[in-house]
Amino acid sequence: MNTQAELRPIIEARQVTKRFGTFHALKDVSATFYEGQVTAIVGPSGSGKSTFLRTLNRLEAHDSGDIVIDGIVLNDNLKNLDAIRREVGMVFQSFNLFSHLTILRNVSLAPMRVRKMSKTDAEAKAMNLLERVGLKNQAAKYPVQLSGGQQQRVAIARALAMDPKVLLFDEPTSALDPEMVNEVLAVMRELAYSGITMLVVTHEMGFAREVADRIIFFDEGVILEDTTPESFFSNPDHDRAKAFLSQVRHGF
């Protein structure tokens, strides 16, 4: 576990707001995230946690406030956006693999297209990453031939193939059958301990407590808690956090 004083800021969000029509999804959200830190973002459904994560790579454009990633301002400037998306990988709930491409091709495509890596080098890298997530023997298959847990592990390998500075996970286990959750969490656990900067929106409280350096608790579009796992799970400050934990306590 690292303390923030020892780490370099890599994402800075300042008074970020986001509305969907009359619904105020994010209300002046400010947070700084640090290189090498694993942050678990938790809270009830509809609290703004996934919306916030999606603003960090412009999948949702924020209405006001500032987002700076590794010194680059996130806005409508396409050059800035391209630079940020090269450095920020994302793993979604629903895998988003290309169904018409093999697993190997799914993982090797972005390094070839974006990083201009040769096919030989990109495929060698992809095979190493597939081995890392336990799927080297599935390289020639197509997504439909894999289980949900396997597809999500491929999605993680694909994100890693770009050598991102930050990995964003948007509830990566929520679409999986219960027996597949642990295989994905095992890969994420290994990544967390390897020193990669991770922001993870999750309902897996046991995982958050074990792996995260930091817990951020969202409710109704604001951050109510930003603290260590030990403090959050043993002595949260806000009644809303206490109520949330009482509802999910059986999960850990």
Side-chain angles (χ1 to χ4, degrees):
M1 300 290 182
N2 297 302
T3 63
Q4 293 177 179
E6 300 169 335
L7 302 174
R8 182 177 74 90
I10 193 163
I11 297 176
E12 296 176 84
R14 297 187 287 265
Q15 295 184 298
V16 173
T17 66
K18 175 65 182 178
R19 291 179 182 270
F20 296 100
T22 60
F23 178 63
H24 204 167
L26 298 175
K27 305 170 185 175
D28 292 322
V29 173
S30 296
T32 300
F33 301 91
Y34 298 85
E35 200 169 53
Q37 187 179 65
V38 177
T39 303
I41 301 174
V42 303
S45 296
S47 60
K49 54 191 188 297
S50 287
T51 299
F52 176 66
L53 198 76
R54 291 168 66 87
T55 65
L56 299 181
N57 62 0
R58 205 68 171 174
L59 290 177
E60 296 288 356
H62 57 291
D63 297 327
S64 63
D66 299 301
I67 298 174
V68 181
I69 298 180
D70 202 25
I72 303 171
V73 177
L74 181 59
N75 51 29
D76 290 329
N77 183 306
L78 293 180
K79 184 178 180 180
N80 285 11
L81 184 57
D82 286 345
I84 285 170
R85 286 186 173 166
R86 282 196 294 269
E87 308 299 344
V88 178
M90 187 155 186
V91 179
F92 301 88
Q93 297 178 35
S94 55
F95 324 141
N96 289 2
L97 299 177
F98 295 114
S99 61
H100 65 292
L101 299 179
T102 65
I103 298 310
L104 179 63
R105 187 70 171 168
N106 264 280
V107 178
S108 62
L109 184 62
M112 292 167 58
R113 292 275 181 88
V114 180
R115 300 288 192 193
K116 308 304 179 185
M117 193 177 287
S118 71
K119 181 179 179 181
T120 299
D121 289 345
E123 290 188 348
K125 181 171 193 168
M127 289 300 288
N128 286 335
L129 289 169
L130 288 172
E131 183 174 22
R132 184 174 181 179
V133 300
L135 292 172
K136 186 176 182 179
N137 61 342
Q138 308 293 329
K141 292 184 177 180
Y142 289 83
V144 71
Q145 297 174 279
L146 273 57
S147 70
Q150 289 173 323
Q151 290 187 60
Q152 192 61 294
R153 285 187 279 153
V154 172
I156 293 172
R158 181 181 59 182
L160 289 171
M162 288 291 288
D163 293 320
K165 293 180 179 177
V166 180
L167 270 180
L168 309 178
F169 293 84
D170 187 9
E171 299 191 30
T173 60
S174 65
L176 300 177
D177 293 333
E179 64 269 20
M180 298 176 185
V181 169
N182 284 339
E183 66 187 62
V184 174
L185 292 181
V187 171
M188 293 174 62
R189 191 175 289 112
E190 185 272 324
L191 291 177
Y193 292 138
S194 75
I196 293 176
T197 307
M198 295 167 57
L199 278 65
V200 185
V201 171
T202 184
H203 286 107
E204 301 289 341
M205 294 298 108
F207 173 81
R209 185 171 197 167
E210 174 193 352
V211 171
D213 299 297
R214 175 182 182 189
I215 304 287
I216 285 180
F217 174 75
F218 266 85
D219 189 58
E220 296 185 348
V222 298
I223 294 174
L224 289 186
E225 304 263 354
D226 183 353
T227 187
T228 64
E230 180 181 6
S231 177
F232 179 75
F233 287 107
S234 63
N235 189 31
D237 288 334
H238 291 79
D239 288 341
R240 290 289 295 165
K242 293 173 184 176
F244 172 77
L245 286 172
S246 71
Q247 292 172 348
V248 300
R249 187 72 65 178
H250 67 277
F252 60 100

